[in-house]
Amino acid sequence: MSTSDSKHYLPAGSTASGPFRTVVTPESAGWGYSGLRVLELAPGGSQEVATSDSETLVLPLNGGCTVTVDGQAFEVTGRQDVFSRVTDFVYLPRDASATIASTGGGRFALPAARCEKRLPARYGPAENVPVELRGAGQSSRQVNNFCTPRTFECDKLIACEVLTPSSNWSSYPPHKHDEATETERELEEIYYFEVADGPVGPGVGYQRVYGTQRRPIDVLAEVRGEDVVLIPHGWHGPSMAAPGYDLYYLNVMAGPGDDRAWMICDDPAHGWVRQTWADQPVDPRLPLYTAEGKEQ
């Protein structure tokens, strides 16, 4: 890992606490809204989770579970791993106490956002998650829009999964969303990474974040499975999948705006790249999978 701003790069395990392999709170991140915990359960294990002032999702990274909240029990099928299929999930309202139990064990991401409204607990079927193919050529990637403004109702939280085939770049062109304008909204963002294994060991990817003269930030991180990069502001991208290793990341976003909107501004030095996509096909490896799994 190489970075000159290491407080924004959190190596796997560096924030672990109790049953949680990853813990990012607004306080630990130094901002106001976005959070993420990753819960690990042994086979037959269960854990009570308090949402406090934050709406929260239960998103399987691997394994399935039963989520009990507000007198309801939701059965979540889950998946073998983040490279196998789109998963179902559960929405937990703020000010709730939920129990997550798993017969087979697994890891479960809990993206969260501080909010004001208390919406009802709900189940999100995998079949309802829109799978978007974004970019073209070596900028091709797959976006699972399971909790974006037009696909799933929340008060503040925005979350999606991005899959980048080996050798491709995503989060590209570099973009930002750190101020409220006609074309941009202020959103804090968490990147949580998983990298596909190679034939002899774990894979690797890279993440770039850089700031403006007024608000500097400088991160160039080598990322491996369960690493986290925090983006309070500034241009972020590319997310680079090294040759031989598919890259996954979970994006968690929230901010102070009254409208829950994902609006971005490209770095003007690199935004022209979008115009080149019209003459390039989408990477034929995509989609890597859908709710039905991988194509045979």
Side-chain angles (χ1 to χ4, degrees):
M1 186 276 296
S2 174
T3 173
S4 57
D5 197 350
S6 58
K7 68 181 179 180
H8 297 114
Y9 166 75
L10 307 176
S14 62
T15 64
S17 178
F20 299 101
R21 298 173 66 96
T22 297
V23 178
V24 177
T25 66
E27 289 81 8
S28 69
W31 55 35
Y33 296 91
S34 298
L36 174 67
R37 290 176 287 176
V38 176
L39 172 67
E40 182 174 39
L41 292 178
S46 67
Q47 179 67 38
E48 187 171 313
V49 172
T51 62
S52 186
D53 60 359
S54 298
E55 57 187 353
T56 303
L57 304 178
V58 180
L59 178 80
L61 299 172
N62 65 275
C65 63
T66 301
V67 180
T68 305
V69 60
D70 288 353
Q72 302 176 80
F74 300 98
E75 297 295 331
V76 182
T77 301
R79 53 188 167 184
Q80 179 179 343
D81 57 47
V82 298
F83 297 103
S84 61
R85 69 181 290 262
V86 175
T87 187
D88 48 353
F89 62 98
V90 169
Y91 173 91
L92 307 177
R94 60 164 290 163
D95 301 316
S97 178
T99 300
I100 304 171
S102 178
T103 301
R107 290 181 303 124
F108 307 93
L110 278 62
R114 279 184 173 152
C115 65
E116 298 297 327
K117 297 179 182 177
R118 192 179 196 276
L119 301 176
R122 280 162 288 146
Y123 172 74
E127 294 74 17
N128 289 357
V129 174
V131 173
E132 175 189 0
L133 303 187
R134 191 177 295 172
Q138 286 193 275
S139 296
S140 301
R141 59 272 201 184
Q142 172 178 340
V143 184
N144 300 334
N145 289 304
F146 68 94
C147 187
T148 50
R150 295 182 181 179
T151 64
F152 193 83
E153 182 186 7
C154 291
D155 184 19
K156 291 286 188 182
L157 180 61
I158 299 173
C160 65
E161 300 178 313
V162 181
L163 292 137
T164 310
S166 65
S167 302
N168 284 10
W169 284 19
S170 58
S171 287
Y172 193 74
H175 60 278
K176 73 179 183 73
H177 40 71
D178 58 11
E179 56 186 332
T181 69
E182 291 185 359
T183 58
E184 190 176 341
R185 289 296 181 270
E186 183 180 352
L187 296 167
E188 311 151 350
E189 187 162 19
I190 300 167
Y191 274 56
Y192 169 87
F193 293 91
E194 297 277 353
V195 188
D197 290 340
V200 295
V204 63
Y206 294 87
Q207 176 67 41
R208 181 73 171 116
V209 186
Y210 58 99
T212 62
Q213 186 172 6
R214 182 173 63 89
R215 302 178 74 188
I217 183 173
D218 187 7
V219 178
L220 176 56
E222 181 178 292
V223 294
R224 300 176 185 272
E226 302 188 61
D227 287 355
V228 168
V229 172
L230 304 178
I231 304 172
H233 56 81
W235 311 105
H236 42 287
S239 303
M240 295 166 271
Y245 306 105
D246 294 339
L247 181 68
Y248 163 99
Y249 52 89
L250 169 64
N251 287 145
V252 183
M253 292 171 275
D258 292 333
D259 59 336
R260 177 176 169 249
W262 184 70
M263 298 173 65
I264 66 170
C265 175
D266 285 339
D267 182 339
H270 304 294
W272 63 269
V273 171
R274 291 187 188 275
Q275 309 309 314
T276 68
W277 295 345
D279 299 325
Q280 300 180 61
V282 173
D283 191 317
R285 292 174 290 178
L286 294 173
L288 293 183
Y289 57 68
T290 64
E292 287 72 40
K294 298 181 179 181
E295 292 187 4
Q296 300 300 318

